[in-house]
Amino acid sequence: NAGVTQTPKFQVLKTGQSMTLQCAQDMNHEYMSWYRQDPGMGLRLIHYSVGAGITDQGEVPNGYNVSRSTTEDFPLRLLSAAPSQTSVYFCASTQEGINSPLHFGNGTRLTVT
Amino acid sequence: AQSVTQLDSHVSVSEGTPVLLRCNYSSSYSPSLFWYVQHPNKGLQLLLKYTSAATLVKGINGFEAEFKKSETSFHLTKPSAHMSDAAEYFCVVSLLGSGYSTLTFGKGTMLLVSP
């Protein structure tokens, strides 16, 4: 059982480039979310989805887009990368809502130069 | 509004000694509380959760936490540290019955375990 899979593990971008961080889960979870982790900041929610076709913004959505065409996949798009988006990004999923434990991927470490 | 404060950014212990990681929260409603652990270059893993049942919650790997409403605290403890416990620990608060977006993470406590 793979759980939550994120690709790539590492990425370096130049300012202004765009890219997509991939996230896939094989647990048939309805809820999926993207967080960014910065030193001393904990995790901050970027976007989340409560099911296929439904997405919403979290705490820090600016500069990021998401879509949810299937239950399994929840990609995160950086439209025009900025150095402030240098961070570690985590995708998480859960079975049935906010009080169920989150299952995290192993993260994508992104550097924007 | 809700918030969570982890009182120590770093905690150092010797192997075999007790562990105490402190967490205080503020919430206008009955909260659910979680502790997650993150080992280097890994995602977060659930240690334990409190959702208004027993106030003393037992988790994995010998950890436990006690919910104290009067002190608005949810401290994480372990009687005897092991080298494999070295990791970063996050306290998380959510509102019962609220929307999915209202999980709030603490800034984390790095646990260092020396031989």
Side-chain angles (χ1 to χ4, degrees), chain A residues 33 37 40 90 98-99 102 105, chain B residues 32 36 38 49 94 99-100 107:
Chain A
S33 53
Q37 182 179 27
F90 287 98
I98 199 168
N99 293 317
L102 291 169
Chain B
S32 286
Y36 283 84
Q38 184 182 29
K49 69 174 182 178
S94 75
Y100 181 67
K107 295 187 191 308

Side-chain angles (χ1 to χ4, degrees), chain A residues 30 49-55 68-72:
Chain A
E30 291 294 326
S49 169
V50 299
I54 306 169
T55 64
R68 185 93 180 272
S69 56
T70 67
T71 299
E72 294 77 21

Side-chain angles (χ1 to χ4, degrees), chain B residues 18-91:
Chain B
V19 175
L20 170 64
L21 305 183
R22 298 181 294 166
C23 173
N24 285 105
Y25 70 92
S26 86
S27 174
S28 302
Y29 305 96
S30 297
S32 286
L33 294 156
F34 307 81
W35 276 99
Y36 283 84
V37 60
Q38 184 182 29
H39 292 278
N41 300 314
K42 296 291 187 183
L44 281 70
Q45 178 187 14
L46 181 71
L47 269 181
L48 50 81
K49 69 174 182 178
Y50 165 79
T51 55
S52 79
T55 56
L56 183 61
V57 182
K58 293 190 184 299
I60 62 172
N61 300 333
F63 284 93
E64 63 182 35
E66 186 172 8
F67 174 70
K68 292 187 177 180
K69 186 175 182 179
S70 61
E71 299 176 9
T72 61
S73 69
F74 190 57
H75 301 334
L76 182 70
T77 60
K78 183 174 181 178
S80 176
H82 192 274
M83 294 297 291
S84 61
D85 295 328
E88 191 162 21
Y89 293 79
F90 292 92
C91 184

